[in-house]
Amino acid sequence: MGIVNVTPDSFSDGGRWAEPEAAIARGHDLLADGADILDIGGESTRPGATRPLVEEELDRVVPVIGALAEAGALVSVDTMRSEVAAAALAAGAGLVNDVSGGLADPRMLEVVADTGAAYVAMHWRAHSDHMGDFASYDAPGGVVAAVCEELAHRVDAMLAAGIEPDRIILDPGLGFAKRAEHNWELLAGLDRVGALGHPVLVGASRKSFLGSLLADTEGRARPVDRREDANTAVSVHLAQQGVWGIRVHDVRASRDAISVVERLAAEKKNHAHQEAP
């Protein structure tokens, strides 16, 4: 899943694709690099971000989604608002990627249920401007148990709203109301998220827990634009875990890494078949 931020303030590339023409061109570049899905977002969810007006978000994403969908791309809309989801789906999007899992807008699940779209529900506790206040996971089982329990509740809500099970995709929400150690624990415990019975999408690309891991000798985090090698290593791990989707900024690097993992897995399977009695 290739990321196209049609925003002026996203943490990694804010402003680079803010104009529709630039965002559309970026989408085509990501497709050429091997993206299966383009995730188009008009609201930054970086820590501390303030929300745009609904009209602003609509103006940012709908023209881009329409153009890319018309060109044959499978498009996802990254939004927490039911109005934006409905407009994006009408413009040709096939998925709704809701970082709030339906908690930010009570009408979201109804809109998705009525349209038949696939729905990515992320683990979420609060909006970006104060989500750090909710990064506490002190109950038994820690962050992995809490994320699984809270996602399971969201699945119940989705099913109750009429969203069929085969349309549900879950995201553990790396970086959202989570400190660096929580993100690492979740990456190590993805099998438990998958055990909830739905495909898993993971977005680790360029996030701050990678920057802090790669901090210099004075404790300064590695800059956002110099975290891609680490993210490629994460993509290898995710591919080995068999996740459904990996949400990335640099599609080519992760696609190449996944190709290596797949080729080695095929070779291992071939050797096992040859050695069987």
Short mmCIF file of all heavy atoms in Angstrom, two decimals, residues 202-264:
data_model
loop_
_atom_site.label_atom_id
_atom_site.label_comp_id
_atom_site.label_asym_id
_atom_site.label_seq_id
_atom_site.Cartn_x
_atom_site.Cartn_y
_atom_site.Cartn_z
N VAL A 202 -0.14 -3.26 8.36
CA VAL A 202 0.79 -2.62 9.30
C VAL A 202 1.44 -1.42 8.63
O VAL A 202 1.92 -1.51 7.49
CB VAL A 202 1.88 -3.60 9.78
CG1 VAL A 202 2.84 -2.89 10.73
CG2 VAL A 202 1.25 -4.80 10.47
N GLY A 203 1.46 -0.31 9.35
CA GLY A 203 2.13 0.89 8.86
C GLY A 203 3.23 1.32 9.81
O GLY A 203 2.95 1.91 10.86
N ALA A 204 4.48 1.00 9.46
CA ALA A 204 5.62 1.39 10.30
C ALA A 204 6.46 2.46 9.62
O ALA A 204 7.33 3.06 10.26
CB ALA A 204 6.50 0.18 10.59
N SER A 205 6.19 2.74 8.37
CA SER A 205 7.08 3.51 7.52
C SER A 205 7.47 4.87 8.10
O SER A 205 6.61 5.72 8.35
CB SER A 205 6.42 3.71 6.16
OG SER A 205 7.30 4.32 5.25
N ARG A 206 8.77 5.05 8.32
CA ARG A 206 9.39 6.31 8.73
C ARG A 206 8.93 6.82 10.10
O ARG A 206 9.18 7.98 10.44
CB ARG A 206 9.14 7.39 7.66
CG ARG A 206 9.70 7.05 6.29
CD ARG A 206 9.45 8.15 5.29
NE ARG A 206 9.99 7.78 3.97
CZ ARG A 206 9.82 8.50 2.87
NH1 ARG A 206 9.15 9.64 2.93
NH2 ARG A 206 10.32 8.10 1.72
N LYS A 207 8.29 6.02 10.89
CA LYS A 207 7.73 6.50 12.15
C LYS A 207 8.83 6.72 13.19
O LYS A 207 9.96 6.25 13.07
CB LYS A 207 6.65 5.55 12.65
CG LYS A 207 5.39 5.63 11.78
CD LYS A 207 4.22 4.85 12.33
CE LYS A 207 2.98 5.11 11.47
NZ LYS A 207 1.80 4.34 11.92
N SER A 208 8.45 7.45 14.24
CA SER A 208 9.45 7.94 15.19
C SER A 208 10.15 6.83 15.95
O SER A 208 11.29 7.01 16.39
CB SER A 208 8.80 8.93 16.17
OG SER A 208 7.79 8.30 16.92
N PHE A 209 9.53 5.67 16.15
CA PHE A 209 10.20 4.61 16.89
C PHE A 209 11.42 4.09 16.11
O PHE A 209 12.38 3.62 16.71
CB PHE A 209 9.24 3.48 17.26
CG PHE A 209 8.84 2.55 16.14
CD1 PHE A 209 9.41 1.31 16.02
CD2 PHE A 209 7.86 2.92 15.22
CE1 PHE A 209 9.04 0.43 15.02
CE2 PHE A 209 7.47 2.06 14.22
CZ PHE A 209 8.07 0.81 14.10
N LEU A 210 11.38 4.20 14.78
CA LEU A 210 12.56 3.88 13.99
C LEU A 210 13.63 4.96 14.15
O LEU A 210 14.82 4.67 14.25
CB LEU A 210 12.19 3.72 12.52
CG LEU A 210 11.23 2.57 12.19
CD1 LEU A 210 10.87 2.61 10.71
CD2 LEU A 210 11.81 1.23 12.58
N GLY A 211 13.18 6.21 14.17
CA GLY A 211 14.12 7.30 14.36
C GLY A 211 14.84 7.24 15.69
O GLY A 211 16.05 7.49 15.78
N SER A 212 14.13 6.87 16.76
CA SER A 212 14.77 6.77 18.07
C SER A 212 15.70 5.58 18.15
O SER A 212 16.75 5.63 18.81
CB SER A 212 13.70 6.71 19.17
OG SER A 212 12.87 5.57 19.02
N LEU A 213 15.36 4.48 17.48
CA LEU A 213 16.25 3.32 17.44
C LEU A 213 17.59 3.69 16.81
O LEU A 213 18.65 3.22 17.25
CB LEU A 213 15.60 2.19 16.63
CG LEU A 213 16.47 0.96 16.38
CD1 LEU A 213 16.64 0.16 17.67
CD2 LEU A 213 15.87 0.09 15.28
N LEU A 214 17.56 4.57 15.82
CA LEU A 214 18.74 4.93 15.05
C LEU A 214 19.34 6.26 15.49
O LEU A 214 20.07 6.91 14.73
CB LEU A 214 18.37 5.00 13.56
CG LEU A 214 17.74 3.72 12.98
CD1 LEU A 214 17.24 3.98 11.57
CD2 LEU A 214 18.70 2.55 13.01
N ALA A 215 19.05 6.67 16.72
CA ALA A 215 19.54 7.96 17.22
C ALA A 215 21.06 8.02 17.20
O ALA A 215 21.75 6.99 17.34
CB ALA A 215 19.02 8.19 18.64
N ASP A 216 21.59 9.23 17.07
CA ASP A 216 23.04 9.40 17.07
C ASP A 216 23.59 9.36 18.49
O ASP A 216 22.85 9.15 19.46
CB ASP A 216 23.43 10.69 16.34
CG ASP A 216 22.91 11.95 17.02
OD1 ASP A 216 22.58 11.90 18.21
OD2 ASP A 216 22.83 12.99 16.34
N THR A 217 24.87 9.54 18.62
CA THR A 217 25.52 9.40 19.92
C THR A 217 25.07 10.47 20.92
O THR A 217 25.27 10.30 22.13
CB THR A 217 27.04 9.48 19.78
OG1 THR A 217 27.39 10.70 19.10
CG2 THR A 217 27.56 8.30 18.97
N GLU A 218 24.46 11.53 20.44
CA GLU A 218 23.96 12.58 21.33
C GLU A 218 22.46 12.43 21.59
O GLU A 218 21.84 13.30 22.20
CB GLU A 218 24.26 13.96 20.74
CG GLU A 218 25.76 14.23 20.62
CD GLU A 218 26.05 15.63 20.09
OE1 GLU A 218 25.10 16.43 19.97
OE2 GLU A 218 27.22 15.92 19.80
N GLY A 219 21.89 11.32 21.13
CA GLY A 219 20.49 11.04 21.41
C GLY A 219 19.51 11.66 20.44
O GLY A 219 18.30 11.59 20.67
N ARG A 220 20.00 12.26 19.35
CA ARG A 220 19.10 12.87 18.38
C ARG A 220 18.56 11.80 17.44
O ARG A 220 19.34 11.02 16.86
CB ARG A 220 19.82 13.96 17.58
CG ARG A 220 20.18 15.18 18.42
CD ARG A 220 20.89 16.19 17.57
NE ARG A 220 22.14 15.66 17.04
CZ ARG A 220 23.32 16.26 17.19
NH1 ARG A 220 23.40 17.42 17.83
NH2 ARG A 220 24.41 15.71 16.67
N ALA A 221 17.25 11.76 17.28
CA ALA A 221 16.62 10.76 16.43
C ALA A 221 17.07 10.91 14.98
O ALA A 221 17.34 12.02 14.51
CB ALA A 221 15.10 10.88 16.51
N ARG A 222 17.18 9.80 14.28
CA ARG A 222 17.50 9.82 12.86
C ARG A 222 16.41 10.59 12.12
O ARG A 222 15.21 10.34 12.33
CB ARG A 222 17.57 8.38 12.33
CG ARG A 222 17.85 8.24 10.84
CD ARG A 222 19.30 8.47 10.49
NE ARG A 222 20.20 7.51 11.12
CZ ARG A 222 20.47 6.29 10.62
NH1 ARG A 222 19.88 5.87 9.52
NH2 ARG A 222 21.33 5.51 11.25
N PRO A 223 16.77 11.52 11.24
CA PRO A 223 15.76 12.29 10.50
C PRO A 223 14.83 11.40 9.69
O PRO A 223 15.19 10.28 9.29
CB PRO A 223 16.60 13.18 9.58
CG PRO A 223 17.91 13.31 10.28
CD PRO A 223 18.14 11.99 10.96
N VAL A 224 13.63 11.90 9.47
CA VAL A 224 12.59 11.12 8.79
C VAL A 224 13.06 10.57 7.46
O VAL A 224 12.79 9.41 7.13
CB VAL A 224 11.33 12.00 8.60
CG1 VAL A 224 10.32 11.31 7.69
CG2 VAL A 224 10.69 12.31 9.94
N ASP A 225 13.75 11.38 6.68
CA ASP A 225 14.15 10.96 5.34
C ASP A 225 15.35 10.02 5.32
O ASP A 225 15.83 9.65 4.24
CB ASP A 225 14.42 12.18 4.45
CG ASP A 225 15.54 13.06 4.98
OD1 ASP A 225 16.04 12.79 6.10
OD2 ASP A 225 15.90 14.03 4.29
N ARG A 226 15.81 9.60 6.50
CA ARG A 226 16.95 8.67 6.56
C ARG A 226 16.60 7.41 7.37
O ARG A 226 17.46 6.77 7.95
CB ARG A 226 18.17 9.37 7.17
CG ARG A 226 18.71 10.50 6.29
CD ARG A 226 19.89 11.18 6.94
NE ARG A 226 20.94 10.20 7.25
CZ ARG A 226 21.79 10.32 8.27
NH1 ARG A 226 21.70 11.37 9.10
NH2 ARG A 226 22.72 9.41 8.48
N ARG A 227 15.33 7.03 7.35
CA ARG A 227 14.88 5.86 8.10
C ARG A 227 14.47 4.70 7.18
O ARG A 227 13.98 3.68 7.66
CB ARG A 227 13.68 6.23 8.99
CG ARG A 227 13.99 7.31 10.01
CD ARG A 227 12.74 7.77 10.74
NE ARG A 227 13.04 8.91 11.63
CZ ARG A 227 12.12 9.61 12.28
NH1 ARG A 227 10.83 9.29 12.16
NH2 ARG A 227 12.47 10.62 13.06
N GLU A 228 14.64 4.86 5.87
CA GLU A 228 14.07 3.90 4.94
C GLU A 228 14.72 2.53 5.02
O GLU A 228 14.05 1.50 4.87
CB GLU A 228 14.14 4.44 3.51
CG GLU A 228 13.20 3.73 2.55
CD GLU A 228 11.76 3.74 3.04
OE1 GLU A 228 11.23 4.83 3.34
OE2 GLU A 228 11.16 2.65 3.15
N ASP A 229 16.03 2.48 5.27
CA ASP A 229 16.68 1.17 5.37
C ASP A 229 16.10 0.37 6.53
O ASP A 229 15.86 -0.85 6.41
CB ASP A 229 18.19 1.33 5.56
CG ASP A 229 18.87 1.86 4.30
OD1 ASP A 229 18.26 1.81 3.23
OD2 ASP A 229 20.02 2.31 4.42
N ALA A 230 15.87 1.04 7.65
CA ALA A 230 15.27 0.36 8.80
C ALA A 230 13.86 -0.11 8.47
O ALA A 230 13.44 -1.20 8.86
CB ALA A 230 15.26 1.29 10.01
N ASN A 231 13.11 0.73 7.74
CA ASN A 231 11.75 0.34 7.40
C ASN A 231 11.74 -0.86 6.45
O ASN A 231 10.86 -1.71 6.52
CB ASN A 231 11.00 1.50 6.76
CG ASN A 231 9.54 1.15 6.54
OD1 ASN A 231 8.78 0.99 7.48
ND2 ASN A 231 9.15 0.99 5.28
N THR A 232 12.74 -0.95 5.57
CA THR A 232 12.82 -2.11 4.69
C THR A 232 13.04 -3.38 5.50
O THR A 232 12.46 -4.44 5.19
CB THR A 232 13.96 -1.92 3.67
OG1 THR A 232 13.72 -0.72 2.93
CG2 THR A 232 14.02 -3.09 2.71
N ALA A 233 13.83 -3.29 6.55
CA ALA A 233 14.02 -4.45 7.44
C ALA A 233 12.70 -4.83 8.10
O ALA A 233 12.39 -6.02 8.24
CB ALA A 233 15.08 -4.14 8.49
N VAL A 234 11.91 -3.83 8.51
CA VAL A 234 10.60 -4.12 9.07
C VAL A 234 9.72 -4.80 8.03
O VAL A 234 8.98 -5.75 8.34
CB VAL A 234 9.93 -2.82 9.59
CG1 VAL A 234 8.50 -3.11 10.04
CG2 VAL A 234 10.73 -2.23 10.74
N SER A 235 9.78 -4.35 6.78
CA SER A 235 8.98 -4.97 5.73
C SER A 235 9.33 -6.43 5.54
O SER A 235 8.45 -7.27 5.29
CB SER A 235 9.16 -4.21 4.41
OG SER A 235 8.62 -2.90 4.49
N VAL A 236 10.62 -6.77 5.65
CA VAL A 236 11.02 -8.17 5.59
C VAL A 236 10.36 -8.96 6.71
O VAL A 236 9.81 -10.05 6.49
CB VAL A 236 12.56 -8.30 5.65
CG1 VAL A 236 12.97 -9.75 5.86
CG2 VAL A 236 13.20 -7.72 4.40
N HIS A 237 10.42 -8.42 7.92
CA HIS A 237 9.79 -9.09 9.06
C HIS A 237 8.29 -9.28 8.82
O HIS A 237 7.75 -10.37 9.07
CB HIS A 237 10.02 -8.26 10.33
CG HIS A 237 9.21 -8.71 11.51
ND1 HIS A 237 9.47 -9.88 12.19
CD2 HIS A 237 8.13 -8.14 12.13
CE1 HIS A 237 8.59 -10.03 13.18
NE2 HIS A 237 7.78 -8.98 13.15
N LEU A 238 7.64 -8.26 8.32
CA LEU A 238 6.20 -8.34 8.09
C LEU A 238 5.86 -9.37 7.02
O LEU A 238 4.89 -10.13 7.15
CB LEU A 238 5.65 -6.97 7.70
CG LEU A 238 5.76 -5.88 8.77
CD1 LEU A 238 5.30 -4.54 8.22
CD2 LEU A 238 4.96 -6.25 10.02
N ALA A 239 6.67 -9.40 5.97
CA ALA A 239 6.45 -10.40 4.93
C ALA A 239 6.62 -11.81 5.48
O ALA A 239 5.86 -12.72 5.14
CB ALA A 239 7.40 -10.16 3.76
N GLN A 240 7.61 -11.99 6.33
CA GLN A 240 7.82 -13.31 6.93
C GLN A 240 6.68 -13.70 7.86
O GLN A 240 6.40 -14.88 8.05
CB GLN A 240 9.16 -13.31 7.68
CG GLN A 240 10.36 -13.24 6.77
CD GLN A 240 11.66 -13.01 7.52
OE1 GLN A 240 11.67 -12.43 8.61
NE2 GLN A 240 12.77 -13.46 6.94
N GLN A 241 6.02 -12.69 8.44
CA GLN A 241 4.88 -12.96 9.31
C GLN A 241 3.61 -13.21 8.51
O GLN A 241 2.59 -13.62 9.07
CB GLN A 241 4.65 -11.77 10.25
CG GLN A 241 5.79 -11.47 11.20
CD GLN A 241 6.08 -12.64 12.11
OE1 GLN A 241 5.19 -13.13 12.81
NE2 GLN A 241 7.32 -13.10 12.11
N GLY A 242 3.64 -12.95 7.21
CA GLY A 242 2.48 -13.21 6.36
C GLY A 242 1.36 -12.21 6.51
O GLY A 242 0.19 -12.56 6.32
N VAL A 243 1.69 -10.95 6.83
CA VAL A 243 0.62 -9.96 6.95
C VAL A 243 -0.01 -9.71 5.59
O VAL A 243 0.59 -9.94 4.54
CB VAL A 243 1.14 -8.62 7.55
CG1 VAL A 243 1.75 -8.85 8.91
CG2 VAL A 243 2.11 -7.94 6.61
N TRP A 244 -1.23 -9.22 5.62
CA TRP A 244 -1.98 -8.95 4.38
C TRP A 244 -1.41 -7.75 3.63
O TRP A 244 -1.32 -7.75 2.41
CB TRP A 244 -3.44 -8.70 4.74
CG TRP A 244 -4.29 -8.22 3.59
CD1 TRP A 244 -4.91 -9.01 2.65
CD2 TRP A 244 -4.62 -6.87 3.26
NE1 TRP A 244 -5.59 -8.22 1.76
CE2 TRP A 244 -5.44 -6.91 2.11
CE3 TRP A 244 -4.30 -5.64 3.83
CZ2 TRP A 244 -5.95 -5.74 1.52
CZ3 TRP A 244 -4.81 -4.48 3.25
CH2 TRP A 244 -5.62 -4.54 2.10
N GLY A 245 -1.03 -6.70 4.37
CA GLY A 245 -0.60 -5.48 3.71
C GLY A 245 0.44 -4.72 4.50
O GLY A 245 0.48 -4.79 5.74
N ILE A 246 1.28 -3.99 3.78
CA ILE A 246 2.32 -3.16 4.38
C ILE A 246 2.16 -1.76 3.80
O ILE A 246 2.23 -1.57 2.58
CB ILE A 246 3.72 -3.71 4.06
CG1 ILE A 246 3.87 -5.15 4.58
CG2 ILE A 246 4.80 -2.82 4.66
CD1 ILE A 246 5.15 -5.83 4.14
N ARG A 247 1.93 -0.79 4.66
CA ARG A 247 1.70 0.59 4.21
C ARG A 247 3.02 1.35 4.28
O ARG A 247 3.60 1.52 5.35
CB ARG A 247 0.65 1.25 5.12
CG ARG A 247 0.22 2.64 4.70
CD ARG A 247 -0.86 3.16 5.65
NE ARG A 247 -1.35 4.46 5.24
CZ ARG A 247 -0.82 5.63 5.62
NH1 ARG A 247 0.24 5.63 6.43
NH2 ARG A 247 -1.33 6.76 5.20
N VAL A 248 3.51 1.81 3.10
CA VAL A 248 4.85 2.38 3.03
C VAL A 248 4.89 3.64 2.17
O VAL A 248 4.04 3.87 1.32
CB VAL A 248 5.86 1.36 2.45
CG1 VAL A 248 5.98 0.15 3.36
CG2 VAL A 248 5.47 0.94 1.04
N HIS A 249 5.93 4.44 2.41
CA HIS A 249 6.21 5.60 1.57
C HIS A 249 7.06 5.20 0.36
O HIS A 249 6.81 5.67 -0.75
CB HIS A 249 6.96 6.67 2.37
CG HIS A 249 6.17 7.25 3.50
ND1 HIS A 249 6.12 6.66 4.74
CD2 HIS A 249 5.40 8.38 3.58
CE1 HIS A 249 5.34 7.40 5.54
NE2 HIS A 249 4.91 8.43 4.86
N ASP A 250 8.08 4.39 0.57
CA ASP A 250 8.97 3.95 -0.50
C ASP A 250 8.55 2.56 -0.93
O ASP A 250 8.96 1.55 -0.34
CB ASP A 250 10.42 3.97 -0.01
CG ASP A 250 11.42 3.66 -1.12
OD1 ASP A 250 11.04 3.05 -2.12
OD2 ASP A 250 12.60 4.05 -0.97
N VAL A 251 7.73 2.48 -1.96
CA VAL A 251 7.18 1.20 -2.39
C VAL A 251 8.27 0.30 -2.97
O VAL A 251 8.31 -0.90 -2.70
CB VAL A 251 6.06 1.43 -3.43
CG1 VAL A 251 5.71 0.14 -4.15
CG2 VAL A 251 4.83 2.01 -2.74
N ARG A 252 9.16 0.86 -3.77
CA ARG A 252 10.14 0.02 -4.45
C ARG A 252 11.02 -0.74 -3.47
O ARG A 252 11.28 -1.94 -3.64
CB ARG A 252 11.01 0.85 -5.39
CG ARG A 252 12.06 0.01 -6.14
CD ARG A 252 12.84 0.86 -7.12
NE ARG A 252 11.97 1.34 -8.18
CZ ARG A 252 12.37 2.18 -9.15
NH1 ARG A 252 13.62 2.62 -9.15
NH2 ARG A 252 11.52 2.57 -10.08
N ALA A 253 11.50 -0.08 -2.42
CA ALA A 253 12.39 -0.74 -1.47
C ALA A 253 11.68 -1.91 -0.79
O ALA A 253 12.24 -3.01 -0.67
CB ALA A 253 12.87 0.26 -0.42
N SER A 254 10.44 -1.69 -0.35
CA SER A 254 9.72 -2.77 0.32
C SER A 254 9.31 -3.86 -0.67
O SER A 254 9.35 -5.05 -0.33
CB SER A 254 8.49 -2.21 1.03
OG SER A 254 8.87 -1.51 2.20
N ARG A 255 8.92 -3.48 -1.88
CA ARG A 255 8.57 -4.48 -2.89
C ARG A 255 9.78 -5.37 -3.21
O ARG A 255 9.64 -6.60 -3.31
CB ARG A 255 8.07 -3.78 -4.16
CG ARG A 255 7.86 -4.70 -5.36
CD ARG A 255 6.85 -5.79 -5.09
NE ARG A 255 5.49 -5.28 -5.11
CZ ARG A 255 4.43 -6.01 -4.77
NH1 ARG A 255 4.60 -7.26 -4.34
NH2 ARG A 255 3.23 -5.50 -4.80
N ASP A 256 10.95 -4.78 -3.35
CA ASP A 256 12.15 -5.58 -3.62
C ASP A 256 12.45 -6.53 -2.46
O ASP A 256 12.80 -7.70 -2.67
CB ASP A 256 13.35 -4.66 -3.84
CG ASP A 256 13.27 -3.90 -5.16
OD1 ASP A 256 12.37 -4.20 -5.97
OD2 ASP A 256 14.11 -3.00 -5.37
N ALA A 257 12.29 -6.03 -1.23
CA ALA A 257 12.55 -6.87 -0.06
C ALA A 257 11.58 -8.04 0.00
O ALA A 257 11.96 -9.18 0.31
CB ALA A 257 12.46 -6.03 1.21
N ILE A 258 10.32 -7.76 -0.29
CA ILE A 258 9.30 -8.82 -0.27
C ILE A 258 9.59 -9.85 -1.36
O ILE A 258 9.40 -11.06 -1.15
CB ILE A 258 7.90 -8.21 -0.44
CG1 ILE A 258 7.55 -7.39 0.80
CG2 ILE A 258 6.85 -9.28 -0.67
CD1 ILE A 258 6.34 -6.49 0.62
N SER A 259 10.07 -9.41 -2.51
CA SER A 259 10.40 -10.35 -3.58
C SER A 259 11.48 -11.33 -3.13
O SER A 259 11.43 -12.52 -3.46
CB SER A 259 10.87 -9.58 -4.82
OG SER A 259 9.81 -8.81 -5.36
N VAL A 260 12.46 -10.84 -2.38
CA VAL A 260 13.51 -11.72 -1.87
C VAL A 260 12.92 -12.74 -0.88
O VAL A 260 13.22 -13.94 -0.95
CB VAL A 260 14.62 -10.89 -1.19
CG1 VAL A 260 15.61 -11.81 -0.48
CG2 VAL A 260 15.34 -10.03 -2.22
N VAL A 261 12.07 -12.26 0.03
CA VAL A 261 11.45 -13.17 1.00
C VAL A 261 10.63 -14.24 0.29
O VAL A 261 10.71 -15.43 0.63
CB VAL A 261 10.56 -12.36 1.97
CG1 VAL A 261 9.74 -13.31 2.86
CG2 VAL A 261 11.40 -11.44 2.85
N GLU A 262 9.86 -13.84 -0.71
CA GLU A 262 9.01 -14.79 -1.43
C GLU A 262 9.85 -15.81 -2.20
O GLU A 262 9.52 -17.00 -2.24
CB GLU A 262 8.07 -14.05 -2.37
CG GLU A 262 7.00 -13.25 -1.64
CD GLU A 262 6.15 -12.41 -2.58
OE1 GLU A 262 6.60 -12.14 -3.72
OE2 GLU A 262 5.04 -12.02 -2.18
N ARG A 263 10.94 -15.34 -2.79
CA ARG A 263 11.79 -16.26 -3.57
C ARG A 263 12.45 -17.28 -2.66
O ARG A 263 12.53 -18.48 -2.99
CB ARG A 263 12.86 -15.45 -4.31
CG ARG A 263 13.78 -16.31 -5.18
CD ARG A 263 13.00 -16.97 -6.31
NE ARG A 263 13.87 -17.82 -7.13
CZ ARG A 263 14.19 -19.07 -6.84
NH1 ARG A 263 13.72 -19.65 -5.72
NH2 ARG A 263 14.97 -19.76 -7.65
N LEU A 264 12.93 -16.85 -1.50
CA LEU A 264 13.55 -17.78 -0.57
C LEU A 264 12.53 -18.78 -0.01
O LEU A 264 12.83 -19.96 0.18
CB LEU A 264 14.21 -17.00 0.57
CG LEU A 264 15.48 -16.24 0.19
CD1 LEU A 264 15.91 -15.33 1.33
CD2 LEU A 264 16.60 -17.21 -0.18
#
